[in-house]
Amino acid sequence: MKNIDQDFFTVHDNKQDTEMASEVRVDVTDKVEHKKESNGETALYLNKEKIGEIKNNGQEHLYEMAEGFDLDEEKIYKKEKKPQQPQSYVEGCDMGWC
């Protein structure tokens, strides 16, 4: 019988895997408004909620996004819970009428 090294196996956090699978990213780029602030920075708003800032460090723009929002390849995404599929209330649909 072989002696199996414990490092060979990877332990997964099923709760974290489930939570990640229950989230979806929605592209909200077209709905985001840019507003110039008094400090010279630009604030990003979605439905009057501040979701981030664009800061200029002289050479490039730095984006700071609020929790629940991502910037990926110049698109802004909002993380949302994936809608739960309703469970069927009908049983025995093997006849094809429901």
Side-chain angles (χ1 to χ4, degrees):
M1 187 170 208
K2 283 186 174 179
N3 187 8
I4 300 174
D5 186 6
Q6 283 295 98
D7 292 336
F8 179 78
F9 295 100
T10 306
V11 177
H12 292 283
D13 181 359
N14 288 336
K15 182 180 177 187
Q16 184 180 7
D17 290 345
T18 303
E19 287 175 7
M20 289 175 63
S22 66
E23 279 190 351
V24 62
R25 291 185 348 158
V26 178
D27 183 358
V28 294
T29 307
D30 294 336
K31 298 175 184 175
V32 174
E33 295 179 27
H34 298 73
K35 293 185 182 178
K36 198 75 157 168
E37 305 242 318
S38 60
N39 61 3
E41 295 175 356
T42 302
L44 303 172
Y45 287 88
L46 178 64
N47 300 327
K48 299 182 182 180
E49 175 189 359
K50 187 174 180 179
I51 63 166
E53 293 181 339
I54 303 173
K55 297 182 177 186
N56 189 349
N57 72 353
Q59 296 177 346
E60 63 183 358
H61 297 293
L62 302 173
Y63 290 79
E64 286 186 11
M65 302 305 295
E67 186 175 333
F69 293 89
D70 288 329
L71 178 72
D72 189 12
E73 295 185 18
E74 298 184 20
K75 295 225 182 245
I76 299 172
Y77 296 94
K78 180 178 182 180
K79 295 178 192 174
E80 295 182 351
K81 297 275 186 199
K82 188 183 291 186
Q84 296 288 336
Q85 293 292 332
Q87 292 190 3
S88 176
Y89 62 92
V90 180
E91 293 181 15
C93 288
D94 56 346
M95 301 298 254
W97 57 268
C98 51

